[in-house]
Amino acid sequence: MTTAVNVTRNPDAEWALRAAKETGIPGRALRAYVAAAVTVNAAAPACGIGWNTLAAVGFVETAHGTYGGGSLTASGQVSRPVTGPVLNGAGFAAIADTDAGVLDGDARWDRAVGPMQFIPSTWKLVGRDGNGDGTADPFNIDDAALSAATYLCAGGRDLTTADGWTDAIYAYNQSDAYIRQVRDQATAYAAKTGAAG
C-alpha cells in the first residue's frame, strides 16, 4: 500500500477556517487534529504524523463525532455518547468487558467509544489529556485525537514512509479495506487544502 500524503505543518487560523470549509471537517474537530499532530510531532519528531491522517481516522470511525446525529460542543465534547457495536464475536472480534461498563455502558462485552473509537482497554493504555483539564476523556475530541496520534506513533513508527503509515493504520484497525478508506480520505483532505504534491 502507498502512504497517504501526510500534512505536518502548523497552520494558521485563516488556513483552519478555509480548510474546515473545503473539507467539511467541523472546525472544532479540525483544531483538535492539528493540535494533536503538532504536539506528538514535537515530542516524537521521527513520527511525522499529519493532521489529515488523524482527520481521516476520525471521519471513517465516527464522521468526526457526528455519527448518529451528534455534534461536538465548543469544549470538544460529543453531544451524545458515541459507542461502537457490541464486540461479542458476531461480525466483530469478541472482546469481553474490560471496564465494568464504565466507558461503554456494557458490563458484559466491550464497545469502542468516543469520536476516535477506542476500546476501553486500549484507552487505559494510551488515553491522554489533550485539552489540559486534568482528565483523559475518550468522549472529548482533544483527548481522543491526541491519544490516537500517540497510539499511531507508538513503537517509533515513521508515518512519512509507506510501510510506517500502513503499519500504524493497521494497528488501529486490522483491515485492508479500512486502510484504503483512511488512505483515500487522508489524501483527499490534503488535496482539498492544497497540501498534496
Side-chain angles (χ1 to χ4, degrees):
M1 296 233 167
T2 58
T3 185
V5 174
N6 246 347
V7 183
T8 58
R9 65 190 166 114
N10 192 358
D12 59 28
E14 183 179 314
W15 174 90
L17 288 172
R18 187 180 77 247
K21 182 178 179 182
E22 291 168 350
T23 61
I25 300 170
R28 187 64 187 80
L30 181 61
R31 289 194 310 273
Y33 301 139
V34 169
V38 168
T39 299
V40 169
N41 285 328
C47 178
I49 191 167
W51 67 264
N52 58 317
T53 292
L54 291 170
V57 170
F59 173 78
V60 172
E61 291 291 349
T62 67
H64 313 296
T66 67
Y67 180 79
S71 62
L72 296 173
T73 67
S75 66
Q77 291 298 121
V78 292
S79 63
R80 53 195 270 181
V82 180
T83 56
V86 176
L87 299 176
N88 62 2
F92 299 96
I95 302 176
D97 177 65
T98 61
D99 71 331
V102 171
L103 293 177
D104 59 14
D106 189 331
R108 183 165 181 214
W109 300 102
D110 265 349
R111 298 168 69 134
V113 298
M116 301 301 276
Q117 289 291 278
F118 279 96
I119 296 169
S121 59
T122 304
W123 185 258
K124 286 179 193 175
L125 296 173
V126 299
R128 301 289 184 267
D129 177 12
N131 61 4
D133 69 356
T135 302
D137 179 358
F139 295 99
N140 178 278
I141 190 65
D142 297 313
D143 297 356
L146 180 60
S147 301
T150 300
Y151 185 77
L152 291 167
C153 290
R157 288 190 191 101
D158 178 355
L159 274 67
T160 66
T161 69
D163 287 345
W165 189 92
T166 301
D167 288 348
I169 303 304
Y170 189 78
Y172 210 91
N173 187 321
Q174 297 176 1
S175 159
D176 289 341
Y178 181 84
I179 292 169
R180 285 190 296 273
Q181 283 182 294
V182 172
R183 181 198 60 219
D184 292 349
Q185 194 64 47
T187 302
Y189 285 151
K192 287 178 182 179
T193 58

